[in-house]
Amino acid sequence: MFNKILIANRGDVALRVLRACKEMGIQTVIVHSTADAESMPVRLADESVCIGPAASSESYLNIPSLVSAAAITGCDAVHPGVGFLAENADFADIVIAHGLAFIGPEPDHIRQMGDKVQAKISAAEAGLPLVPGSPGAVHTIEEAHKLAEGIGFPLLVKAASGGGGRGMKVALSADELSVAFSSARSEAKAAFGDDTVYLERYLDNPRHIEVQVIADSHGNAVHLGERECSVQRRHQKLFEEAPSPALTDVQRSHIGMIAAEATQKMGYLGVGTMEFLYQDGEFFFIEMNTRLQVEHPITEAITGIDLVTEQIKIAAGGVLPFTQDEVTFTGHAIECRINAEHPETFMPTPGKVEYYHAAGGAGVRVDTILYSGYKIPPYYDSLIAKLIVHGRDRDHALARLRLALQEFVVEPMPTTLDLHRRLVDADAIKTGNYSIKWLEQEFLTS
Ligand code: MV4
C-alpha cells in the first residue's frame, strides 16, 4: 500500500479523497492555490504545498508544480480527483515517469476515451451498442453528405475531442448539413485545438443513464449499477439518482452486465463510467469517463462500496474484494448539487458564508468544504456542497431529501438550494418521468 498520497485537486473532492486516505492510514499532502490557503482540506491534510496563484492554469493545472510538490514531500502516488487533470493522459504519463503511481486508469485508456471516435470504436469492439452514425471521423463535407444518407436526419455533428456539448451541431435536414459541419469543426478547433468531427443520428428525447464500472489489474471487472443523470442544465448535472426510475430490473442487470463485460475486454483499470443515452427502451453508448465522478456517492449509498478506497487499493495492485454476485443494491439514493449560484439566473454568488448549517439524520450524507466564515472563491466552479440521501425506496429517499433541504442553511448568498426545494415537489420528479430536456424546456420555463 502507498505511504503518502498527493491530492491534486480542491474542494469537496479533495476532502473526499483526504478522508479515504486517513481512513486507510495513508499520509496526505494537499496542494492548493493562494486562493484556497484557508480551505478545509488544507487544514486537515498532514502536509500542504502552495502550488501557485488563484488561476487554475497556474496552479491546479500546473503539471510541473504538482509533480514537484509530490517529489519534495516524498509521495508515492497522486490522486487527481475530479476535473482539472483527472482525464489528462499526459499528466498521468508524467506522474508515472516520475516514479509515482497514478490513481486512475492507464494513460492509454484515458487517451483513447478522450477521443470520442476512438472511444466508440473500442466500445463497439467490446460489444456495446452505439448510436447509429459514421464509422469513424468524417473529414470532408462530401463524405458527410454521403454518410448522412445512410444515417438519416436529424443528425448531429460532434467533435471527436468534445464532451460537455461543445462542438456539437444539429442538422435537421440535408440543406443544414454543410453549415452544421463547418460550424462544428470551427467550434471544435477553437475549443480543443482539434477539428475532427463525426456524425450520429440525433436522439430527440433521451435520458442520460450512466453505468459505474470498476476493474482491478488482475482481470476482474464488475458494474456497480447505473445512475440517472438526466436532470441537467447546459450540460451541468444538478440532481442525480440511483437506480434510474426508467429501468426495469431486467434492463438494469442487462446494461450492467454488458458494461462490465466491455470493461473487462478493454483491459480497463480502476473506476470508470460508461455513458449511455436511453430512448424508447434502447441503450446507446456515447462516451466513457475515465475518472471518479462527482455523483459517485449515490452509487456508494446503494452498494455500500467506497469507490475511493477501492480506487486506491486497485492502484496499489490489490484484487477487487467482491465479485459481481457479491455486489448488492439496497434502496434508492439521490444527490443534489448545491452551487453558489443564483437559483434562477445561475449567476455565480461567491463571497463569505456567514452562517452554515448542514442537514443530518439517518440516510443523509453531506460532502462539503463549507464552514461558517468560509470565503467561497470566485475562481473555480461553483459547487459548494453535495447533499446525498438514501432511503429504502424512491419515495422514502424523496421524503428524506425534502426534509434535508428544509434543514440546510447557507447564508447570505443565494444558492441552488432554493431550486432543489422546488424541484423535489415537481410532478416529473415525483413520478420519475423526465428526460434530458425536462429541466431546461419545462421546469425552468414554468
Ligand atoms: C447526443 C444527444 C442526442 N443524440 N447524441 C451532449 C453532451 C455529450 N456528452 C453528448 N450529448 C448529447 N449527445 C445523440 N446522438 C443529446 C446530447 C445531449 C445530452 C446528453 C446527455 C446529457 C445531457 C444532454 C443535453 C443535451 C444534449
Side-chain angles (χ1 to χ4, degrees):
M1 187 42 66
F2 306 121
N3 290 311
K4 208 192 251 194
I5 292 177
L6 185 93
I7 302 168
N9 215 298
R10 65 175 302 282
D12 64 277
V13 75
L15 183 57
R16 172 71 189 85
V17 175
L18 182 84
R19 285 174 172 150
C21 293
K22 291 202 169 211
E23 187 181 313
M24 298 172 84
I26 300 169
Q27 294 283 304
T28 51
V29 179
I30 183 89
V31 297
H32 66 89
S33 71
T34 52
D36 284 331
E38 307 286 305
S39 79
M40 196 141 79
V42 172
R43 292 183 197 192
L44 295 176
D46 298 299
E47 294 169 69
S48 64
V49 180
C50 181
I51 46 158
S56 319
S57 58
E58 295 177 66
S59 49
Y60 299 105
L61 294 172
N62 185 335
I63 296 176
S65 291
L66 292 165
V67 174
S68 306
I72 58 171
T73 54
C75 287
D76 43 17
V78 174
H79 195 301
V82 172
F84 294 123
L85 297 168
E87 290 181 287
N88 185 312
D90 295 336
F91 178 57
D93 271 333
I94 292 165
V95 164
I96 294 163
H98 283 77
L100 301 157
F102 180 77
I103 302 173
E106 281 160 10
D108 285 343
H109 279 120
I110 302 176
R111 201 167 275 118
Q112 183 177 49
M113 294 303 165
D115 176 342
K116 310 302 168 192
V117 169
Q118 267 312 309
K120 286 186 73 173
I121 292 169
S122 27
E125 281 171 0
L128 295 174
L130 305 184
V131 191
S134 56
V138 180
H139 300 285
T140 66
I141 184 66
E142 292 76 22
E143 203 186 338
H145 276 286
K146 241 181 236 131
L147 286 161
E149 282 171 35
I151 299 164
F153 290 94
L155 62 71
L156 276 175
V157 186
K158 289 184 167 183
S161 298
R166 280 193 298 176
M168 194 172 94
K169 297 287 169 202
V170 191
L172 295 176
S173 62
D175 19 292
E176 291 184 10
L177 186 58
S178 299
V179 171
F181 186 78
S182 58
S183 63
R185 281 186 86 138
S186 50
E187 203 174 298
K189 183 81 193 169
F192 315 110
D194 169 18
D195 66 0
T196 312
V197 297
Y198 61 104
L199 307 182
E200 260 180 17
R201 181 196 295 161
Y202 176 65
L203 302 176
D204 63 355
N205 199 26
R207 286 176 172 257
H208 175 180
I209 298 176
E210 56 185 34
V211 179
Q212 179 71 57
V213 293
I214 184 165
D216 65 19
S217 54
H218 307 276
N220 304 301
V222 306
H223 75 86
L224 302 177
E226 84 284 5
R227 294 183 290 257
E228 166 70 66
C229 301
S230 299
V231 181
Q232 55 82 43
R233 177 186 173 271
R234 298 191 181 174
H235 306 289
Q236 296 296 314
K237 298 166 185 166
L238 287 167
F239 172 104
E240 303 102 339
E241 56 180 318
S244 167
L247 302 185
T248 64
D249 285 342
V250 171
Q251 287 174 305
R252 170 167 301 120
S253 56
H254 172 72
I255 192 65
M257 216 176 57
I258 64 171
E261 272 173 23
T263 305
Q264 208 223 5
K265 280 188 194 150
M266 289 172 183
Y268 187 80
L269 179 70
V271 305
T273 298
M274 296 190 176
E275 290 192 5
F276 296 89
L277 297 178
Y278 173 79
Q279 186 171 301
D280 305 323
E282 274 188 274
F283 285 98
F284 305 94
F285 170 90
I286 48 167
E287 291 173 24
M288 181 171 186
N289 299 320
T290 55
R291 57 161 198 283
L292 185 73
Q293 304 233 149
V294 172
E295 60 273 26
H296 76 277
I298 57 176
T299 298
E300 296 186 324
I302 64 165
T303 61
I305 293 167
D306 183 318
L307 285 172
V308 182
T309 57
E310 293 308 331
Q311 241 190 330
I312 294 169
K313 289 190 276 178
I314 288 166
V319 179
L320 267 186
F322 43 80
T323 62
Q324 189 69 64
D325 288 344
E326 288 164 347
V327 177
T328 55
F329 300 95
T330 308
H332 196 96
I334 302 173
E335 172 179 271
C336 288
R337 297 193 189 190
I338 301 168
N339 293 331
E341 285 173 8
H342 192 280
E344 276 139 35
T345 63
F346 296 95
M347 292 296 288
T349 56
K352 185 174 175 183
V353 177
E354 298 293 349
Y355 185 80
Y356 167 67
H357 177 79
V364 176
R365 167 176 171 183
V366 179
D367 278 18
T368 185
I369 58 160
L370 287 178
Y371 54 84
S372 289
Y374 176 65
K375 289 193 196 74
I376 301 166
Y379 313 104
Y380 312 107
D381 88 30
S382 56
L383 184 73
I384 51 170
K386 303 192 296 203
L387 169 61
I388 303 103
V389 297
H390 185 214
R392 78 182 84 85
D393 54 26
R394 191 166 185 275
D395 284 341
H396 192 213
L398 279 169
R400 284 182 159 170
L401 178 59
R402 193 173 292 107
L403 265 173
L405 287 165
Q406 283 165 11
E407 290 178 24
F408 217 109
V409 185
V410 179
E411 281 175 356
M413 61 280 292
T415 67
T416 53
L417 270 168
D418 269 339
L419 174 72
H420 289 298
R421 289 178 185 132
R422 290 206 298 128
L423 209 56
V424 278
D425 287 321
D427 280 343
I429 295 293
K430 284 185 188 163
T431 60
N433 187 14
Y434 55 77
S435 75
I436 60 169
K437 295 191 164 169
W438 174 74
L439 188 82
E440 283 172 296
Q441 295 189 8
E442 295 185 49
F443 183 74
L444 293 175
T445 56
S446 62

